[in-house]
Amino acid sequence: MRYLQQIFVAIVLLAIQTSLQAQVSFGKPEKINKQWQFYLGDRPDEKTQWESLDLPHDWSVKQSLSPSLASCQGFLPGGIGWYRKSVFIPQDKQDELIYLYFEGVYNRSEVFVNGQSVGSRPNGYISFLYDITPFVQYGQENEIAVRVDHSQSADSRWYTGSGIYRDVWLVYANRVHLAQWGVFVYPKEESLQAKFLHAEIAIVNESLLDNNIVVSNKLFSPEGKPVAENTQQLSIAAGQTKRLAIELAVENPQLWDLEHPNLYTLQTIVEQNGKIIDATTTKTGFRSFVFDPDQGFLLNGKNLKMKGICLHHDAGVLGAAVPREVWKRRLQTLKEIGVNAIRTSHNPQAPDLYDLCDELGILVLNEAYDEWEFPKNKWIKAWNVGTPGHQGSYDIFEKWGEQDLADMVRRDRNHVSIFAWSIGNEVDYPNDPYSHPILDSANSGFTQKLNGGYKKEAPDANRLGSIAKRLVAVVKQYDSSRPVTAGLAGVAMSNETEYPFALDICGYNYTESRYLSDHKKYPERVIFGSETRHDLEAWKAVTDNDHIFGQFLWTGIDYLGESGKWPSRGFYSGLVDFAGFIKPRGYYRKALWSDEPTVYLGTYPNRFLKSKVSMDAYSIWNYKEKELIRVVCYTNAEKVRLFLNNKPIHKAPKFDKNTGIYYWDVPYQAGKLEVRSFNGEKEVGNYNIQTSGEAFAITATVSNYENNLAHIVVQVTDENGVPVMLTDNEITCEIEGPAHLLGLEAGNNSDMGDYTDNVQGVFHGRLLAYIQTVGTSGEITVKFTSPSLKAADVKLK
């Protein structure tokens, strides 16, 4: 009988795992993304025409770009929208509790069930749960309606998206159940081997009776073998919450690190009278973090420099509704470049992102806010141009700030990849909004624009310290195992307040000039570059200083919003473009960061930059005959040799010590340009670019196809199959079979055309097609055509 019960438990837990848990840590979650209706506008009535769609959904990115809209939002609109869906609740569920869980709705949402409001949540990035049991009609269809108010459309410095842009879940639960986010697991650092796993479990009794229950916790290795367990009997009074803390000992555990992201699974089961009434699984792992003011950061006892990037939450044409598979491809690309850490900028992101970082071995700095109690400048005409707007989320901070932060920590604290919590980004930017008398001081060491001197009428910067202390206390209440930090913009000003002293570790934004002086002045302070430039000097400030544990480049991937003057969709400093293709500066970074042999070749006319050496040179070899071309090579090899049409160019390359880039000035000659890299006399890599002819054909290749989402790379070539970089052909995508087009993205920041249709111009000769398949059967043919070009098609099954 016990054996059969164990099989049943395994089946239950397998069902929980394969249901893509809603992160609520209790009950039976059911994803309800399908068959919603949407109306863009307010006050729908019986005559309203509703659009049928599936979630996640971002309505802003589906609209037209316009120069009349705000540049901070990528010239895309906000507005008010309504969603609705009917859900049948069986009669036999009347003894259970029923909840709705939203992973993210941007923003200022209110949820209704059968016409009655069940709650409002203004923060657009926070996940939230409502108990809808009192509003449910059993044995009937129940209407869920969600009003989303993004009428303050310029309320952020970057693109936010609008709508229910993350997953939605319906959760059924016993009246005695694990609490929301009620299982917290983390390694207890007894030694470098971190042999103990600490778990805190909260159980809620929402029944009218006292109950006796049994709580079992079993830990499984990455291979699925049981390695530790704990069982306890509890009595829990009616209407009360019971908390227990346990430790699970594991001999010689497999550690989680960047190259071997070993994940264990904790199964938590609640039984009553021999019956399972609740269960959940939690991914966890063994690893140790140490932050030292002199040695920097140690992972599992080994010093590590964080090669980090800042990351916003959109994906170009997909807006803020980004499928897990898209994030997986993007994170894998960043890791290929050498990235080992990300900073969520400047808000909590979708649960999928953290899951993937756990699985792939990428460290995460999880950030909560970009502004606190006062608004920042939001640029309307262009980034740092004209008169800014001042919409924002500051108006909800006093009421919701601590609750939102607590919910971020509680939701995400089980992710072994998260190394710190950030309570804010650049809230101390000089005079945007806070001010301090130090701004009138000469030689104060500011690296940011001061926006004038001290302004007595502006908010007092001394307020920053008290707010920071309050927020740090919230984090520590729910997770004392990790440090708390923030990205400081006006370090020289903040040092005059209590703000940096309230933090465990201090992020400096663009303030490398203070790394040594502040280390000497504040020897107990742990410092890192929370936001930095891409140049070699900023990286050397990390490698040349043992006490600086890393940097986070602005930015890892191009993102919508924070745009320059029209035409500009977004901020274009990423290592990777909107389509997820590596840019030249991504290869430059790979040469600095990757342990794998790396070599890349790019070119540009010498007249463009004269004596400058660029990290943004594309692999183009089509110029006027004998035109002087600057050829640049990004490599981590000891030396390089250049060949033109298989003949060596005997002139040795020059080396720019300010960039670490090799370069030649070469008269153009059509054919093949090749660089070979060497360590000693051993060739370790090569890279070549060829002169292309006229655009002749389209090629289409599936680069990733997982969980019904295909990434198809479309490339324009000449008749010999050589990629044509200098072309802007428009590609039409047509689909036969059970699939639909999510979007076409070429990565062109200045293309302000229609992204809602099936036609898109290539950029540097290529684009990416996102194809969502439907169902599990039927062949799919995706065709790509363009006038005067040979067509291509791809078969999907």
Side-chain angles (χ1 to χ4, degrees):
M1 189 67 182
R2 183 64 180 170
Y3 175 72
L4 292 176
Q5 186 183 39
Q6 289 175 340
I7 293 177
F8 175 72
V9 170
I11 292 172
V12 169
L13 292 170
L14 179 62
I16 291 170
Q17 288 176 292
T18 56
S19 70
L20 300 177
Q21 278 182 287
Q23 290 226 348
V24 293
S25 298
F26 76 94
K28 304 182 194 76
E30 297 178 2
K31 190 182 291 186
I32 56 170
N33 288 348
K34 301 294 185 181
Q35 298 178 333
W36 284 74
Q37 293 182 310
F38 172 69
Y39 169 67
L40 183 56
D42 205 6
R43 297 185 177 89
D45 55 31
E46 64 276 1
K47 297 180 181 179
T48 297
Q49 296 295 311
W50 293 77
E51 175 188 357
S52 296
L53 51 78
D54 294 337
L55 303 179
H57 174 247
D58 173 3
W59 82 64
S60 288
V61 81
K62 306 293 185 183
Q63 311 304 310
S64 297
L65 298 111
S66 170
S68 66
L69 298 170
S71 62
C72 62
Q73 287 296 299
F75 300 103
L76 286 164
I80 297 175
W82 280 84
Y83 296 84
R84 69 181 187 186
K85 176 184 175 63
S86 291
V87 176
F88 181 78
I89 306 295
Q91 187 69 40
D92 61 8
K93 298 292 186 181
Q94 61 183 341
D95 291 331
E96 297 186 24
L97 300 172
I98 303 172
Y99 299 85
L100 277 175
Y101 181 68
F102 294 83
E103 291 185 0
V105 182
Y106 202 92
N107 63 344
R108 302 178 190 265
S109 64
E110 184 172 9
V111 177
F112 302 84
V113 174
N114 295 325
Q116 298 184 68
S117 176
V118 299
S120 300
R121 196 63 179 254
N123 191 312
Y125 300 110
I126 294 295
S127 299
F128 55 91
L129 178 93
Y130 294 131
D131 181 355
I132 64 170
T133 310
F135 310 97
V136 164
Q137 298 173 356
Y138 295 92
Q140 300 180 40
E141 294 286 342
N142 292 260
E143 184 178 79
I144 301 167
V146 183
R147 183 180 186 269
V148 184
D149 184 355
H150 191 199
S151 55
Q152 294 188 45
S153 57
D155 62 347
S156 173
R157 296 189 299 126
W158 61 90
Y159 178 80
T160 61
S162 301
I164 308 179
Y165 67 104
R166 297 181 190 161
D167 293 333
V168 180
W169 304 78
L170 188 69
V171 183
Y172 294 98
N174 191 284
R175 293 186 179 272
V176 179
H177 61 86
L178 293 160
Q180 177 189 1
W181 303 319
V183 177
F184 175 32
V185 193
Y186 60 93
K188 188 174 181 181
E189 296 169 16
E190 292 294 319
S191 70
L192 290 181
Q193 293 299 310
K195 293 182 180 179
F196 290 93
L197 204 66
H198 184 81
E200 299 172 8
I201 297 100
I203 302 99
V204 180
N205 182 0
E206 297 193 60
S207 74
L208 300 176
L209 301 174
D210 297 346
N211 279 273
N212 296 316
I213 58 173
V214 176
V215 181
S216 302
N217 286 277
K218 182 177 288 188
L219 186 67
F220 292 83
S221 71
E223 296 78 24
K225 297 179 180 178
V227 292
E229 61 182 306
N230 177 281
T231 300
Q232 295 194 28
Q233 296 184 357
L234 297 176
S235 296
I236 180 168
Q240 299 297 308
T241 297
K242 192 84 169 185
R243 306 179 191 278
L244 62 92
I246 65 169
E247 287 187 357
L248 298 168
V250 178
E251 292 297 325
N252 299 314
Q254 301 175 58
L255 301 185
W256 183 94
D257 61 28
L258 305 181
E259 300 305 319
H260 306 93
N262 295 303
L263 292 175
Y264 286 70
T265 302
L266 180 69
Q267 294 181 345
T268 304
I269 301 170
V270 181
E271 295 179 82
Q272 185 180 47
N273 300 323
K275 179 183 177 182
I276 296 174
I277 57 173
D278 204 359
T280 192
T281 62
T282 306
K283 289 293 183 181
T284 186
F286 293 86
R287 50 96 181 107
S288 67
F289 296 151
V290 173
F291 294 88
D292 185 272
D294 297 314
Q295 299 181 63
F297 173 69
L298 291 84
L299 174 62
N300 299 329
K302 298 179 181 178
N303 194 272
L304 176 74
K305 294 290 189 182
M306 289 195 195
K307 303 168 182 177
I309 55 93
C310 300
L311 189 70
H312 276 304
H313 75 154
D314 71 274
V317 69
L318 302 178
V322 186
R324 175 189 176 94
E325 295 73 27
V326 174
W327 276 124
K328 183 175 182 179
R329 173 176 173 265
R330 289 176 156 221
L331 291 173
Q332 287 173 327
T333 299
L334 289 171
K335 189 156 186 177
E336 175 190 340
I337 290 171
V339 172
N340 63 20
I342 68 168
R343 172 190 179 212
T344 67
S345 307
H346 301 288
N347 49 263
Q349 300 208 19
D352 285 337
L353 183 80
Y354 305 97
D355 290 339
L356 287 165
C357 289
D358 290 344
E359 295 167 13
L360 296 174
I362 301 174
L363 293 161
V364 178
L365 171 56
N366 204 14
E367 192 156 76
Y369 299 120
D370 188 55
E371 61 187 18
W372 291 347
E373 58 176 351
F374 295 105
K376 287 184 177 180
N377 292 331
K378 315 298 188 311
W379 300 103
I380 308 302
K381 296 298 183 184
W383 182 60
N384 282 346
V385 173
T387 302
H390 291 99
Q391 295 178 345
S393 58
Y394 64 94
D395 61 316
I396 66 172
F397 183 76
E398 186 61 32
K399 179 179 179 180
W400 287 100
E402 294 182 33
Q403 181 65 56
D404 289 341
L405 179 62
D407 286 351
M408 179 189 85
V409 174
R410 293 170 64 221
R411 188 196 72 168
D412 296 337
R413 58 189 175 177
N414 285 317
H415 292 286
V416 293
S417 56
I418 294 175
F419 71 87
W421 307 104
S422 172
I423 58 174
N425 169 67
E426 295 191 346
V427 293
D428 63 335
Y429 199 104
N431 287 323
D432 186 15
Y434 294 93
S435 197
H436 189 279
I438 191 69
L439 297 179
D440 281 339
S441 174
N443 304 314
S444 57
F446 281 100
T447 57
Q448 303 279 30
K449 291 182 179 180
L450 300 186
N451 299 314
Y454 173 50
K455 298 180 180 180
K456 294 182 179 180
E457 70 279 6
D460 183 358
N462 285 299
R463 297 177 62 87
L464 294 167
S466 59
I467 296 172
K469 288 179 180 178
R470 202 169 78 219
L471 296 179
V472 169
V474 171
V475 175
K476 297 296 186 182
Q477 179 181 353
Y478 296 103
D479 179 20
S480 60
S481 71
R482 296 177 179 90
V484 182
T485 187
L488 305 179
V491 178
M493 180 175 75
S494 290
N495 281 342
E496 303 298 315
T497 75
E498 295 181 299
Y499 184 17
F501 306 97
L503 306 172
D504 298 311
I505 60 178
C506 289
Y508 282 30
N509 285 14
Y510 309 104
T511 320
E512 291 84 359
S513 60
R514 301 189 69 94
Y515 283 176
L516 286 175
S517 60
D518 277 18
H519 179 54
K520 184 177 181 179
K521 188 173 183 179
Y522 311 108
E524 299 303 313
R525 181 178 294 181
V526 178
I527 302 172
F528 68 103
S530 45
E531 193 168 313
T532 72
R533 307 179 309 276
H534 286 246
D535 55 72
L536 181 61
E537 182 183 3
W539 176 233
K540 287 179 67 64
V542 178
T543 58
D544 293 350
N545 292 293
D546 290 341
H547 69 287
I548 303 299
F549 70 74
Q551 69 170 178
F552 289 80
L553 298 175
W554 193 264
T555 176
I557 302 179
D558 294 343
Y559 60 94
L560 298 176
E562 214 161 6
S563 302
K565 291 182 179 180
W566 178 281
S568 173
R569 299 167 65 201
F571 212 88
Y572 206 60
S573 66
L575 304 177
V576 175
D577 67 18
F578 294 120
F581 297 133
I582 301 176
K583 296 164 62 178
R585 63 175 49 205
Y587 290 106
Y588 172 71
R589 187 57 45 174
K590 186 176 182 180
L592 292 177
W593 280 358
S594 178
D595 295 327
E596 297 297 321
T598 298
V599 63
Y600 171 88
L601 205 59
T603 69
Y604 48 91
N606 185 281
R607 67 179 186 274
F608 283 2
L609 295 176
K610 296 182 180 180
S611 61
K612 292 183 179 179
V613 180
S614 174
M615 68 175 76
D616 294 313
Y618 280 88
S619 295
I620 297 171
W621 197 237
N622 283 74
Y623 298 97
K624 294 179 181 179
E625 201 70 18
K626 297 184 179 179
E627 181 180 6
L628 192 62
I629 303 301
R630 176 147 292 180
V631 178
V632 297
C633 175
Y634 316 146
T635 186
N636 54 11
E638 295 173 359
K639 57 185 178 181
V640 290
R641 296 172 186 162
L642 188 66
F643 297 80
L644 180 56
N645 293 324
N646 297 317
K647 296 179 180 179
I649 292 178
H650 294 293
K651 186 177 181 181
K654 296 180 181 179
F655 181 75
D656 183 60
K657 64 180 182 180
N658 294 320
T659 61
I661 295 173
Y662 292 98
Y663 67 99
W664 304 259
D665 290 325
V666 178
Y668 174 72
Q669 179 184 341
K672 182 174 78 170
L673 187 68
E674 181 183 17
V675 65
R676 300 173 189 171
S677 59
F678 298 83
N679 287 335
E681 295 304 314
K682 181 181 178 182
E683 183 173 339
V684 292
N686 64 79
Y687 189 99
N688 72 81
I689 50 180
Q690 296 187 50
T691 304
S692 66
E694 296 293 325
F696 175 78
I698 302 169
T699 64
T701 307
V702 178
S703 67
N704 300 76
Y705 186 20
E706 186 178 356
N707 296 330
N708 298 324
L709 182 65
H711 297 73
I712 301 177
V713 177
V714 178
Q715 176 74 57
V716 176
T717 70
D718 67 12
E719 60 183 339
N720 295 316
V722 177
V724 180
M725 295 282 287
L726 302 177
T727 188
D728 58 358
N729 304 78
E730 283 198 336
I731 305 294
T732 298
C733 175
E734 295 176 312
I735 301 172
E736 296 177 359
H740 63 271
L741 175 68
L742 288 185
L744 297 172
E745 177 60 76
N748 188 351
N749 185 49
S750 61
D751 183 351
M752 311 300 280
D754 187 355
Y755 284 84
T756 67
D757 60 12
N758 66 330
V759 180
Q760 183 61 47
V762 296
F763 185 55
H764 293 118
R766 67 182 175 183
L767 59 76
L768 184 75
Y770 296 104
I771 308 298
Q772 182 78 63
T773 62
V774 181
T776 57
S777 62
E779 186 174 80
I780 299 161
T781 301
V782 186
K783 297 181 178 180
F784 299 98
T785 60
S786 182
S788 77
L789 297 184
K790 184 179 178 181
D793 63 62
V794 170
K795 304 288 186 183
L796 300 173
K797 294 184 179 180

